[in-house]
Amino acid sequence: MSLLDELYFYKALGYKYIRPQTRSNLISPSFDELNLQIKYCNLCDLCKTRSNSVLGSGNKDAKIMILGEFPDLDEDKIQKANLPTNLLNLISNLQIPLNQIYYTYILKCTPLKSKHSRKICYNQCLDFFKSELNLIKPNLIVVLGESVFEVLFGDTGYSYDSIRGGIFSYENTNLLATHSPKIAQKSPNLTNEFAIDLIKIKDFL
């Protein structure tokens, strides 16, 4: 099959050609522009199944950025990222001020089961996260879970288990990788590790 025949084949299946975008025109100079880019994004197949894109929430001048993997269906409906209950409770118990937290996801749309290749979608969304990071300039990024860590460090040779709980440099700021809230609920040991990791947030307030 020639390249042209292959393109017509995919077109018949409903795929659309999207003009490649360079990194320079994806990095957004303002939150208003960034939110518009996220809202109308069609860079991957998730645009066909989402109800809405999900925007980050919290203080846009926060010292702490918390980065989850992807929003759930409830967040898809309200178009806003919400801290998981166990994470919210732990932050409150540790007396970490919520007004110093910005919460967002590496993936801006809710994936449906395993229908989509998340790796492709993660790569397309990465520039949105980089724009948030550039606009907020936090003192610390808290990465929730191994999947999110792999999106950021997948080609570097670092393993999640080797750096979880440590503080590392990333994009001119600091990064702390820890368990996802869902994983942290699976055992008392994981819950304890999660809490010990999050205590380190206080050093960056």
Side-chain angles (χ1 to χ4, degrees):
M1 182 183 293
S2 70
L3 177 59
L4 184 59
D5 289 337
E6 189 173 353
L7 289 172
Y8 279 122
F9 172 75
Y10 283 116
K11 182 178 180 181
L13 293 177
Y15 287 89
K16 296 180 179 179
Y17 172 75
I18 299 171
R19 181 173 60 84
Q21 299 188 53
T22 63
R23 184 163 197 136
S24 62
N25 60 23
L26 279 177
I27 299 297
S28 305
S30 71
F31 266 105
D32 287 342
E33 183 174 338
L34 172 62
N35 288 340
L36 283 174
Q37 289 180 349
I38 294 172
K39 183 176 181 180
Y40 296 108
C41 175
N42 62 355
L43 293 175
C44 77
D45 279 352
L46 292 184
C47 68
K48 298 177 182 178
T49 58
R50 72 184 182 217
S51 297
N52 298 288
S53 301
V54 176
L55 308 177
S57 64
N59 182 4
K60 293 180 175 62
D61 294 313
K63 295 180 179 178
I64 308 298
M65 174 187 277
I66 299 180
L67 183 64
E69 186 177 3
F70 56 79
D72 61 24
L73 290 173
D74 289 335
E75 290 166 307
D76 175 276
K77 293 176 183 176
I78 64 173
Q79 306 177 55
K80 179 182 175 183
N82 283 328
L83 286 165
T85 301
N86 65 327
L87 176 56
L88 184 61
N89 290 340
L90 186 54
I91 287 172
S92 177
N93 291 339
L94 294 173
Q95 298 183 333
I96 297 169
L98 281 176
N99 64 1
Q100 287 300 332
I101 290 175
Y102 178 87
Y103 183 53
T104 191
Y105 291 105
I106 195 71
L107 201 62
K108 304 305 183 186
C109 300
T110 304
L112 299 179
K113 300 181 180 179
S114 59
K115 182 179 179 181
H116 303 282
S117 173
R118 289 184 187 171
K119 184 175 181 180
I120 295 174
C121 299
Y122 288 141
N123 290 338
Q124 298 290 8
C125 274
L126 187 58
D127 280 302
F128 292 142
F129 160 66
K130 293 289 182 67
S131 287
E132 289 176 294
L133 184 59
N134 184 60
L135 289 166
I136 294 172
K137 296 179 173 60
N139 294 341
L140 178 70
I141 309 164
V142 180
V143 172
L144 299 179
E146 186 171 0
S147 295
V148 183
F149 169 82
E150 288 178 349
V151 175
L152 302 184
F153 290 93
D155 297 326
T156 63
Y158 290 106
S159 71
Y160 170 76
D161 290 334
S162 68
I163 77 161
R164 185 205 57 79
I167 304 297
F168 292 83
S169 296
Y170 178 81
E171 297 285 335
N172 299 315
T173 187
N174 301 289
L175 182 143
L176 166 67
T178 187
H179 300 304
S180 71
K182 185 177 291 187
I183 292 295
Q185 289 180 316
K186 289 191 173 182
S187 77
N189 285 340
L190 291 173
T191 300
N192 187 54
E193 288 178 354
F194 191 44
I196 290 172
D197 290 346
L198 292 183
I199 288 173
K200 297 170 186 175
I201 289 175
K202 290 188 171 183
D203 294 333
F204 297 89
L205 293 173

